[in-house]
Amino acid sequence: MTDDDQLDDRLDDGLGGYASLFAPVFGSAAVERALSPHAWVQAMLDVEAALVGALADVGAIPAEHAATVAEHARVAELGADGVRGIAVGSPAAGNPVPPLVRALTAVVPGAAAKSIHRGATSQDITDTATMLLVRRALAPVLADLDALADAVAALAERHRHTVIAGRTLSQQAVPTTFGAKAAGWLHSTLAATARLRELLDRLPAQLGGAAGTLASLHDRGVDGPAVVAAFARRLELAEPVLPWHTLRAPVAEVASTVGVAAGVLGKIAQDVVLLAQTEVGEVSEPAGGGGSSTMPHKQNPIRSITALAAVRRAPGLVSTVLAAMVAEHERPASAWHSEWEPVRDLLRILGGAAERLRVTVAGLRVHPERMRANLDITGGLLLAENVTAALAPALGRLAAHDLVTAACQRAVAQDRPLREVLVAHEQVLAHLTAAEVDAALDPARYRGAGERFLDRALTEHRTHRAQGERR
Amino acid sequence: MTDDDQLDDRLDDGLGGYASLFAPVFGSAAVERALSPHAWVQAMLDVEAALVGALADVGAIPAEHAATVAEHARVAELGADGVRGIAVGSPAAGNPVPPLVRALTAVVPGAAAKSIHRGATSQDITDTATMLLVRRALAPVLADLDALADAVAALAERHRHTVIAGRTLSQQAVPTTFGAKAAGWLHSTLAATARLRELLDRLPAQLGGAAGTLASLHDRGVDGPAVVAAFARRLELAEPVLPWHTLRAPVAEVASTVGVAAGVLGKIAQDVVLLAQTEVGEVSEPAGGGGSSTMPHKQNPIRSITALAAVRRAPGLVSTVLAAMVAEHERPASAWHSEWEPVRDLLRILGGAAERLRVTVAGLRVHPERMRANLDITGGLLLAENVTAALAPALGRLAAHDLVTAACQRAVAQDRPLREVLVAHEQVLAHLTAAEVDAALDPARYRGAGERFLDRALTEHRTHRAQGERR
Amino acid sequence: MTDDDQLDDRLDDGLGGYASLFAPVFGSAAVERALSPHAWVQAMLDVEAALVGALADVGAIPAEHAATVAEHARVAELGADGVRGIAVGSPAAGNPVPPLVRALTAVVPGAAAKSIHRGATSQDITDTATMLLVRRALAPVLADLDALADAVAALAERHRHTVIAGRTLSQQAVPTTFGAKAAGWLHSTLAATARLRELLDRLPAQLGGAAGTLASLHDRGVDGPAVVAAFARRLELAEPVLPWHTLRAPVAEVASTVGVAAGVLGKIAQDVVLLAQTEVGEVSEPAGGGGSSTMPHKQNPIRSITALAAVRRAPGLVSTVLAAMVAEHERPASAWHSEWEPVRDLLRILGGAAERLRVTVAGLRVHPERMRANLDITGGLLLAENVTAALAPALGRLAAHDLVTAACQRAVAQDRPLREVLVAHEQVLAHLTAAEVDAALDPARYRGAGERFLDRALTEHRTHRAQGERR
Amino acid sequence: MTDDDQLDDRLDDGLGGYASLFAPVFGSAAVERALSPHAWVQAMLDVEAALVGALADVGAIPAEHAATVAEHARVAELGADGVRGIAVGSPAAGNPVPPLVRALTAVVPGAAAKSIHRGATSQDITDTATMLLVRRALAPVLADLDALADAVAALAERHRHTVIAGRTLSQQAVPTTFGAKAAGWLHSTLAATARLRELLDRLPAQLGGAAGTLASLHDRGVDGPAVVAAFARRLELAEPVLPWHTLRAPVAEVASTVGVAAGVLGKIAQDVVLLAQTEVGEVSEPAGGGGSSTMPHKQNPIRSITALAAVRRAPGLVSTVLAAMVAEHERPASAWHSEWEPVRDLLRILGGAAERLRVTVAGLRVHPERMRANLDITGGLLLAENVTAALAPALGRLAAHDLVTAACQRAVAQDRPLREVLVAHEQVLAHLTAAEVDAALDPARYRGAGERFLDRALTEHRTHRAQGERR
């Protein structure tokens, strides 16, 4: 454990960095730590250091100042009291930057301290730090999402022939395969991951000064846009066309991209929960977790449940960030401030859901025999569409449909398997042999193009992996 | 400082209990502390103790067990490591109760430990603890709201004759008084406070066991409903008609009542921010806060701004809690979990906004001379409605309207005061003297029933105070 | 069909009054009609007539004017072109009142026309009309909710002994009864209905004039508050303490109360959908609807599904209305306007869900044999808690728990019924006879206090009915 | 007027196609018409025709069938009664496709009718139609946004030297230019437009059959994926990797991209409203609209206000669509249905806001003299930052800051212009001449890099235009 880690522990609360008592239930340790108070302060210090560096890059201040500030712009220098002081000192200005600048200035020796925060406004620091933290928090999330994609791809491959009931509007509809189902999860995970990576490539630095003109630099002989370019370069963020203090699309896109990714994970989690229902029993979560103290038989799919609980919070949080886009004049009187915790919470939520689903899918216990058994619940009715299609060439589509509908109704009314009704039906036997009826009623022979779609998703996965390795 | 307070400091993070680095900007210390991890654990311990007490009340266990558990059900007994252990031990079951029960059982000596958590399910504990915490967190909020109402009432009384422009759709419309404006703030603050108090009276205890039947008690000779009644009585919560594990109106009503109260505060904060604009300048926030390091002239209305920032988050949070009402079967697989942080955050938000507005309004600096000066900006156009009314008896309403409209257009086109145009207008002078024109153009003489409405709100305030004192 | 109905058909679109092509899927004809463009115009006309009436009541204008206006303030007088003209003429002022006033003035003969809209501002008319429409739209909704409560109560009574698996976190937990489940639906329906009725009693009229002072009346010799009182009385709305143009709690409470009621219905709909799953099959929706053209065997619980679809939109709509509470000055520049369609849509949503659930529950086909069969899926594991309790007196609770846990694990591992494992277990047989084991494993004998809670809900229902009859 | 237009008028309601009485206030006629019931039915017919066409393309049916269906798949063939029948016939299946297929089948003569809807499920039709309608509704929106960008660019160019107060947290901060402000609007409008165009390029067709396997085609000798490709090609939509019935990122991205674009417009609208306040008076909306019947002097910025009202609804609607991503199994039981009206409403909202802002900005009346006059309100305090910077080289930054702060406080306390205090200050005069003080206090000389940023935005605009012309 490094000094920084130890400090981290002292800075963070008794919960080991988690943002609330409940955070361990649905958050991820990696993301919680990446967004702790400590991490926010460090990010803001990194931004202040980059600003001094950028000023040096354009020759406005001595290079030594930049080196000195960089050396001291570490949360460990401020200590736990320093972080607390920043938090407690924030209300007067309405943001943590003024006390942060004071704290940093106090620990930077000599003339270098005078170069700190030059030309910047508080929002330059918080906005840029937010972008850094989005990147830092998304790093473990993307790793989890890549691993999730790998696990889902393996699942799809393994179950390309595993027949399962396709379910629509809560009812069994026609057969599909568990592999095809997983292929859907795979495709949407890949798409969400790709969007998050595109987002990372676009995250802009923010530097505009009091009202977006950088006047205190630019009108004192320092080329403002050149400083912005150097600043963005040092932080490996995108160089903005102009300051975006009240043009909040970059933040709204973080929120909505995370929100969409959360929704993608929510669909997977919801499927697992429904497939794991006692009465369905087609999958179980990997062991470890989900036990009940009073009901020893229960194995709750607790990771999927808590992943889904996390995901459910995304829409409300996204709506708050979208509403904050209506940011008046050159700095809004409340919209900006209202983004801070919601953006943090969106990242926490996505992190928790990604980690849980990675573990869930990697260890998912699949029960093909239950899938097969459940396909028989309707006594063959599930294949009615296929029987209709088998009869259509001979009878015409409408007549075939009517015949099969009547047969299904008879089967239901008399509580008999559809096969029994069909092979006793003169018109059916006029056109199909019993073996042909059996074939039409075999779910394994009515899987359509599912495997073709599955292979397209697997190809997409391989392409993403190849691109990922090149990154 | 008591032992408990010291423990509290150790349990809470370097931020003194605030839930995030940003919490001091828009939260309130009292509410943050009331909802800290420590406070959550204590509330759950209080609930476990009440359950043991209720079992004793109905004679199911010895009274000494209840006393022993009550004595040890204190977060100080568990220590910081205990709280951390509860948080970290939560993911397996998906909630903090199983590790809490283990921790409590470990510190309760003798046979009493066996009576802990009997008949309960985890949700009984978290739901009831949530209700306790709603009450505990609302206590300082209600004190702030009462003080805010007092301050607003004093403001209304003081400015019952202070004329100000009534503004509609961003434009000056007709005069009103600052007192009448404050009376509106007062009425809505009183109504929101009353709703919150009604809410407190309805907060129900939760006790149903694994599936809401209390079978493990009731089918073993302990009268379930009697235990529920004793349990609610001990906690001074309402006795529920039946378990509400998946009937979430009580939680949704907490959220929506808090959300509406937040909106009421948001309106006041928004008015202060707009009145404090440099170009309007009719009010200033009390000193202390709002200064800018680089712009010494700025006095940002920072408390109102950050109160409004808090309020802006309420709608999204309420929407999450409302969505969680669709809670399936006897315990939902994610809806329940998704409520925890949003309910906490709603209370935090309301607390921060109430505290800031109390301070703001109590110390608000009102500038009647600016209000009066701003009324002259339109050169009398603001009173056009009144001139129309003065002319209507003679000319008829439509003709009067057309005449005044034309006069206004001329005044605007020629950049002259409306008075000048009117007293040069033959038709006007045929019916009104110059003094009558002046009277019609005097904003102080066109205040309508504002004072009557103001007095109604002040009466309402006195009634609320009288009721409050009786509580 | 009256003339008005025929006009209604011409005014409304080819969809028979539904607000969109999709409205028939999830809306209710009664509520759609109550909120059609025609209905909005009529409500605004009613408000204008009440205002003229109120002016007459206080003696400000001749009583004949009021009678004349009342006679002509009917949408049938304006005709379809009139309604279209109001809609198309709205953008200039940003609301439909100015063209409505023009249209009404054009059809009112003689001097009475001069008394129209006197003292009022557009928002007085739209806000008051909104309150009228809330009441009118809620009338059929409350009738549906009352009928739903009756149907649920009958269901609860009929199934007070019907055993069903209690399900928590998607897994069977312990038994309960379908009656107890329905009792929960009943209690929350009654509570939501009661809140809606309380809301109706509080709906306030709005009358304040340009800036809430009623100056154009009050400063011209007409007692403003007296007009407000007469106006409210005529419309049977609550008399407001003061104008609430920018104090939007009344609208926010409409939205949130409707939102909570929608959530209550959503829980019932969700339960029906899950119980109707092919693999669960414990209930079916009444016939009529839900068939699939290509899959003749499917009986989708389509009313519950579309009720739930309606409910899902409530949280987002409520959040919009809550956000609109931040209404600046004396009339907000956008917040007010943003409420109109969301409030309408909330009522539409609730109406659709209430109607569908009334039909669903009244005709719900319950399958007790499937409920019983599903209870056997776990081979008795569901009663593990009860076996533990049966053994606890002899072994102690912890030892009993460990023994039963081990037995359950063996049963699962060996795929044997729990009974078989238990009756082969020496320690068990040392304390329990085989009959006692069977008793402990009988779900019908482990229903706890469910029936007690059920009776409490039925009592509550009878009380509500009795009160309803007195209304 | 064509026959279709006449039919359109009959199909649409008395409101000329607007979806509610209030739609003309904040919607756009073009978008309302593009999303009318008529338009939805036509889009679904287009999709059915494309499906038959695709089947012909792969040789599954005769080409003549495709031609025949295409010829008759026109809403004019169904008539107003047909559209009403589709709406009214929707509840049984829970969507309008089954009655639509019946209606289409009835008007298609001969054998071609048998090829209709083959292989498809209802959701294939509604999802694909939704994508068509997104494209159709966005066409006029994008034209408005392009025109808005042109108008904003012209505004920026025209006002590149027009000095205005930069305002932060509601207070004047430092000067900027109106051109720089407009450049910000321009950049974000361009970015939002680009994202919408990227979205259009990705809109996928949907075709999967009952459970996403296209089994009824693929297992009867018709290559499923080949049909999908042909189908997408005919509709000029993207070919999906696999069916996305329950992988809703495409719909969620429509919603969130529209939501972000709405936020971009909301910022512009909000700025206009605030700049148009009576006390600020720096811009006025173009004439036509905004007048008040009772207050002839008022010129409400009504287009911006109603644009903003539209925008305010976006966050709640986006949240509903995001929540619908948790779409279980192969077709969700409510999530899918809950998207329909919200997606429609999002497009309506964006259309209304874009149209209003285009008109507003194109005709915006800018008042540079009021901008200049408002800059003097603070008596020079606004340039305090610049005076500090002018003194810093001589005094050091901290000492300069303290000196200027004290001077500002004196100016405020004594109600004197800052210039007067400064030129009477010995320490100031020791380092700066009076002319240098004047220069430091001249807002026009403290515009920083605003013009550089402005030129970057104009360059971006030219690039977008050039790309647009190539499209």
Side-chain angles (χ1 to χ4, degrees), chain A residues 338-417:
Chain A
S338 71
E339 293 168 352
W340 302 336
E341 285 197 8
V343 167
R344 181 196 69 156
D345 286 345
L346 277 164
L347 294 164
R348 293 174 57 215
I349 277 165
L350 185 65
E355 185 185 75
R356 275 165 186 69
L357 284 177
R358 171 183 57 74
V359 175
T360 294
V361 173
L364 194 70
R365 291 177 290 165
V366 179
H367 310 303
E369 72 292 354
R370 282 295 297 269
M371 293 175 180
R372 191 62 191 76
N374 285 335
L375 277 163
D376 292 335
I377 289 179
T378 61
L381 293 177
L382 200 63
L383 277 298
E385 184 186 77
N386 198 28
V387 176
T388 302
L391 286 167
L395 299 179
R397 201 150 152 271
L398 199 60
H401 182 270
D402 289 349
L403 184 158
V404 174
T405 300
C408 289
Q409 287 164 346
R410 204 171 319 143
V412 170
Q414 302 174 352
D415 201 12
R416 296 160 61 198

Side-chain angles (χ1 to χ4, degrees), chain B residues 165 167-174 273-274 276-280 282 292-302 305 319 370 374 377-378 381-385 388 397 401 404-405 408, chain D residues 165 167-174 273-274 276-280 282 292-302 305 319 370 374 377-378 381-385 388 397 401 404-405 408:
Chain B
R167 294 168 174 103
T168 63
L169 305 175
S170 81
Q171 304 295 299
Q172 292 190 9
V174 296
V273 170
L274 290 174
Q277 289 174 98
T278 303
E279 298 81 8
V280 179
E282 299 182 355
S292 165
S293 59
T294 54
M295 294 171 283
H297 63 287
K298 283 195 79 180
Q299 283 300 325
N300 302 317
I302 199 65
I305 287 170
S319 74
R370 283 294 298 269
N374 285 335
I377 289 179
T378 61
L381 293 178
L382 200 63
L383 276 299
E385 184 187 76
T388 302
R397 200 150 152 271
H401 182 270
V404 174
T405 301
C408 289
Chain D
R167 295 170 173 101
T168 62
L169 304 175
S170 80
Q171 303 296 298
Q172 290 190 11
V174 297
V273 170
L274 289 174
Q277 287 174 101
T278 303
E279 298 81 10
V280 179
E282 299 182 354
S292 163
S293 58
T294 54
M295 295 172 281
H297 63 287
K298 282 196 78 179
Q299 283 301 322
N300 303 317
I302 199 66
I305 287 170
S319 74
R370 283 295 297 271
N374 285 335
I377 289 179
T378 61
L381 293 177
L382 201 64
L383 276 300
E385 184 187 77
T388 302
R397 201 151 152 270
H401 183 269
V404 173
T405 300
C408 288

Side-chain angles (χ1 to χ4, degrees), chain D residues 122-143:
Chain D
S122 292
Q123 194 178 4
D124 292 331
I125 309 307
T126 59
D127 276 353
T128 307
T130 299
M131 293 295 146
L132 286 185
L133 286 167
V134 168
R135 192 172 63 202
R136 290 172 187 176
L138 283 181
V141 176
L142 284 165

Side-chain angles (χ1 to χ4, degrees), chain A residues 167-173 273 276-279 293-301 305 381 384-385 401 405, chain C residues 167-173 273 276-279 293-301 305 381 384-385 401 405:
Chain A
R167 294 169 174 102
T168 63
L169 305 175
S170 81
Q171 303 297 297
Q172 291 190 10
V273 170
Q277 288 173 101
T278 303
E279 298 81 8
S293 58
T294 54
M295 295 171 282
H297 63 288
K298 281 196 81 180
Q299 283 299 325
N300 303 316
I305 287 169
L381 293 177
E385 184 186 77
H401 182 270
T405 300
Chain C
R167 295 169 172 102
T168 62
L169 305 175
S170 81
Q171 304 295 296
Q172 291 190 11
V273 170
Q277 289 174 101
T278 303
E279 299 81 9
S293 60
T294 54
M295 293 172 282
H297 62 289
K298 283 195 78 180
Q299 283 300 324
N300 303 316
I305 287 170
L381 294 178
E385 184 187 77
H401 183 270
T405 300

Side-chain angles (χ1 to χ4, degrees), chain A residues 123-349:
Chain A
Q123 193 178 4
D124 292 331
I125 308 307
T126 59
D127 276 353
T128 307
T130 298
M131 293 295 146
L132 286 186
L133 286 167
V134 168
R135 192 172 64 201
R136 289 171 187 176
L138 283 181
V141 175
L142 284 165
D144 276 336
L145 289 174
D146 285 342
L148 170 62
D150 293 349
V152 174
L155 202 64
E157 182 62 74
R158 202 176 316 131
H159 292 283
R160 61 164 64 226
H161 301 304
T162 306
V163 185
I164 190 175
R167 294 169 174 102
T168 63
L169 305 175
S170 81
Q171 303 297 297
Q172 291 190 10
V174 297
T176 182
T177 61
F178 187 60
K181 205 169 176 109
W185 299 351
L186 177 59
H187 168 67
S188 59
T189 301
L190 293 173
T193 308
R195 291 273 182 285
L196 287 167
R197 289 218 158 89
E198 289 165 25
L199 177 78
L200 285 185
D201 290 342
R202 284 200 306 259
L203 296 176
Q206 174 74 284
L207 189 60
T213 64
L214 284 173
S216 71
L217 293 175
H218 202 74
D219 287 349
R220 296 289 150 191
V222 181
D223 183 309
V227 177
V228 176
F231 176 69
R233 200 163 46 234
R234 279 183 168 257
L235 294 166
E236 298 182 56
L237 292 170
E239 182 189 342
V241 170
L242 41 69
W244 45 279
H245 293 136
T246 50
L247 309 166
R248 307 304 284 172
V251 181
E253 286 180 4
V254 167
S256 59
T257 309
V258 169
V260 172
V264 163
L265 299 181
K267 189 269 185 289
I268 303 175
Q270 179 71 81
D271 276 357
V272 171
V273 170
L274 290 174
L275 293 172
Q277 288 173 101
T278 303
E279 298 81 8
V280 179
E282 300 181 355
V283 306
S284 314
E285 278 206 0
S292 164
S293 58
T294 54
M295 295 171 282
H297 63 288
K298 281 196 81 180
Q299 283 299 325
N300 303 316
I302 199 65
R303 289 187 199 84
S304 301
I305 287 169
T306 48
L308 193 48
V311 164
R312 293 175 72 108
R313 292 173 56 195
L317 293 167
V318 171
S319 73
T320 301
V321 179
L322 286 179
M325 292 188 75
V326 181
E328 71 274 16
H329 291 320
E330 279 66 47
R331 184 153 316 115
S334 73
W336 166 46
H337 309 74
S338 71
E339 293 168 352
W340 302 336
E341 285 197 8
V343 167
R344 181 196 69 156
D345 286 345
L346 277 164
L347 294 164
R348 293 174 57 215
I349 277 165

